């Protein structure tokens, strides 16, 4: 996993680079619809009055990155001696609600009070490309919203020690439409702008931030991006907290209500819920590590958390979720290989996390062909993935499959039953998947030798062929 940090909840996945900048954002499936697309970045910058501006990627920051123990909550530190500040950054995605939270705790390094402006830039590629999008400032919720068709991203934030904030005033007619949406004791974002990016030489609104001011352009369409700022006072001693968020949904109403829930529950409570959930989840099955040290125990739990991060709630288990390979092959590993998912399921059942394996087997039953075999790979929504396996080779028709991808799922189902003794699920999956898959494997053999017919080998590079009768 080339991303330095990744977080998610099975519906969305966010990957961050070595500068704590978001590079990948998948929603509403893990691994499908990368709304950041490969090579792009959502920038993060800081302006300190009297000391100037800095992007966290400009080389002037000392950055360390880690996760909180036994969680999918990040804990990074960013220090800039020229600006005279240090930041502790915690990122998380709520386990139930599709909200990405970023909490910045800022303190002064030299014992002097500072006026700080935190800038967050967002350059969405909704549905994986950059066209027909809209970004606008929404005054009633004091947020910036990006949308296209049924994908909405609401960006907001607040601070506990504001210098100033920008809250628009909704007219009565508009207020009546959103009469139940009220900000809850929150100053919110201080400044914003919306503009064009990656179009006719326009780099994006992030350039507007470099003088510490944003132009308050309220809306753009087409190839768009946005930048928000939160202005805060960092005391000489102690710290100031800034929290930003992205609420993700399929309608304007959904993301507005998610922000309302966040403000009523408070970001602090949602983050605490996230910490508690993952600690409870990863420790639900007692493990005796014997004489193994705490580093090994932490590695075991971290591995489980990262596997869970790549397991979509609809059942697919992803091979990987970063987009870097797009630069080399114009494709990714954001697919569900039945073989890979079967191997992961074997490990999950042994570790006591059979509920994820069960969802994977149900996914396989939904995508299995009518003849009982599994194809090369699938997208997380169950549609067929890209493939290099031909249906026609050397003048003859063939199945474009790797036979072990069907067989290994059967093996994993048998292991799942051995671990869980779930007779009801066994009967269900037998009728939905096992019977047809086993029949296919029995039929997919040469008549004389009874050996399997040719298919692509497990490592996607060679054909193996059983002897023909004339040999």
């Amino acid at each position: 996993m080339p991303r330095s940090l990744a977080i998610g909840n099975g519906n969305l996945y966010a990957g961050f680079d070595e500068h704590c900048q978001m590079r990948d954002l998948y929603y509403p499936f893990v691994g499908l619809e990368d709304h950041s697309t490969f090579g792009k970045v959502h920038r993060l910058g800081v302006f300190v009055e009297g000391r100037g501006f800095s992007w966290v990627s400009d080389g002037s920051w000392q950055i360390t990155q880690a996760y909180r123990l036994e969680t999918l909550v990040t804990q990074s530190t960013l220090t800039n001696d020229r600006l005279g500040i240090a930041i502790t950054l915690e990122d998380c995605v709520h386990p139930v609600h599709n909200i990405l939270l970023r909490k910045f705790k800022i303190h002064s390094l030299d014992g002097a009070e500072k006026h700080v402006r935190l800038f967050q830039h967002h350059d969405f590629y909704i549905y994986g490309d950059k066209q027909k999008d809209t970004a606008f400032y929404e005054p009633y919720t004091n947020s910036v919203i990006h949308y296209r068709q049924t994908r909405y991203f609401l960006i907001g934030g607040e601070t506990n020690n504001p210098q100033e904030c920008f809250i628009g005033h909704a007219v009565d007619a508009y207020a009546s439409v959103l009469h139940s949406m009220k900000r809850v004791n929150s100053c919110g974002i201080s400044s914003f702008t919306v503009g064009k990016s990656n179009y006719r030489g326009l780099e994006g609104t992030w350039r507007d931030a470099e003088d510490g001011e944003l132009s308050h352009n309220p809306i753009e369409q087409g190839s768009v991006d946005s930048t928000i700022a939160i202005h805060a006072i960092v005391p000489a001693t102690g710290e100031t907290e800034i929290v930003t968020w992205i609420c993700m949904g399929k309608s304007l109403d959904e993301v507005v209500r998610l922000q309302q829930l966040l403000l009523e529950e408070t970001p602090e409570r949602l983050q605490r819920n996230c910490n508690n959930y993952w600690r409870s989840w990863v420790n639900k099955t007692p493990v005796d590590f014997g004489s193994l040290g705490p580093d090994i125990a932490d590695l075991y739990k971290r591995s489980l958390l990262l596997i869970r991060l790549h397991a979509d709630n609809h059942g697919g288990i992803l091979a990987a979720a970063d987009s870097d390979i797009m630069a080399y092959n114009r494709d990714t590993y954001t697919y569900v290989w039945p073989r890979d998912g079967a191997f992961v399921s074997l490990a999950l059942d042994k570790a006591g996390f059979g509920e994820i394996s069960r969802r994977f087997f149900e996914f396989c039953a939904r995508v299995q062909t009518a003849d009982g075999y599994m194809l090369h790979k699938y997208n997380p929504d169950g549609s067929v993935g890209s493939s290099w396996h031909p249906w026609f080779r050397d003048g003859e028709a063939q199945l474009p499959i790797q036979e072990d991808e069907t067989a290994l799922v059967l093996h994993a189902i048998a292991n799942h039953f051995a671990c869980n003794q779930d007779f009801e699920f066994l009967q269900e999956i037998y009728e939905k998947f096992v019977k047809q898959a086993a029949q296919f494997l029995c039929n997919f053999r040469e008549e004389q030798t009874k050996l399997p017919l040719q298919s692509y080998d497990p490592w996607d590079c060679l054909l193996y062929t059983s002897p023909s009768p004339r040999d």
Side-chain angles (χ1 to χ4, degrees), residues 342-357:
F343 281 132
V344 172
S345 295
L346 291 170
L348 288 171
D349 278 316
K350 190 170 183 179
F353 293 83
E355 65 277 10
I356 304 173
S357 300

Side-chain angles (χ1 to χ4, degrees), residues 121-147:
H121 162 252
H122 294 92
D123 194 14
F124 292 113
Y125 282 64
I126 301 178
Y127 291 107
D129 57 32
K130 205 163 186 64
Q131 59 178 337
K132 301 185 289 186
D133 295 352
T134 301
F136 69 99
Y137 174 70
E138 200 290 288
Y140 198 72
T141 57
N142 192 22
S143 66
V144 170
I145 299 175
H146 290 240
Y147 76 91

Side-chain angles (χ1 to χ4, degrees), residues 93-203:
V93 171
H94 191 271
V96 174
H97 305 296
N98 295 320
I99 301 172
L100 190 160
L101 285 169
R102 309 200 78 185
K103 180 190 290 186
F104 303 81
K105 296 179 180 178
I106 309 173
H107 70 266
S108 175
L109 293 175
D110 56 11
E113 180 182 278
K114 295 179 173 60
H115 290 194
V116 172
R117 300 180 180 185
L118 177 75
F119 291 86
Q120 275 199 327
H121 162 252
H122 294 92
D123 194 14
F124 292 113
Y125 282 64
I126 301 178
Y127 291 107
D129 57 32
K130 205 163 186 64
Q131 59 178 337
K132 301 185 289 186
D133 295 352
T134 301
F136 69 99
Y137 174 70
E138 200 290 288
Y140 198 72
T141 57
N142 192 22
S143 66
V144 170
I145 299 175
H146 290 240
Y147 76 91
R148 177 173 156 199
Q149 296 175 325
T150 58
R151 300 292 179 264
Y152 283 75
F153 303 88
L154 181 151
I155 302 156
E158 64 181 16
T159 178
N160 66 337
N161 194 9
Q163 179 185 359
E164 56 185 322
C165 54
F166 188 99
I167 300 179
H169 299 283
V171 298
D172 290 343
Y174 183 53
S176 67
V177 176
L178 294 174
H179 65 278
S180 64
M181 300 296 113
K182 300 177 182 177
R183 293 194 66 85
V184 181
N185 299 323
S186 173
C187 178
I189 65 175
S190 308
S191 188
F192 69 89
T193 197
V194 173
K196 299 276 192 180
S197 68
N198 299 295
Y199 175 72
R200 293 185 176 179
L202 297 172
E203 294 180 272

Side-chain angles (χ1 to χ4, degrees), residues 396-409:
E396 296 183 0
Q398 67 171 21
L399 290 180
I401 66 170
Q402 301 172 18
E403 188 185 6
D404 70 313
E405 297 212 80
T406 303
L408 282 168
V409 175

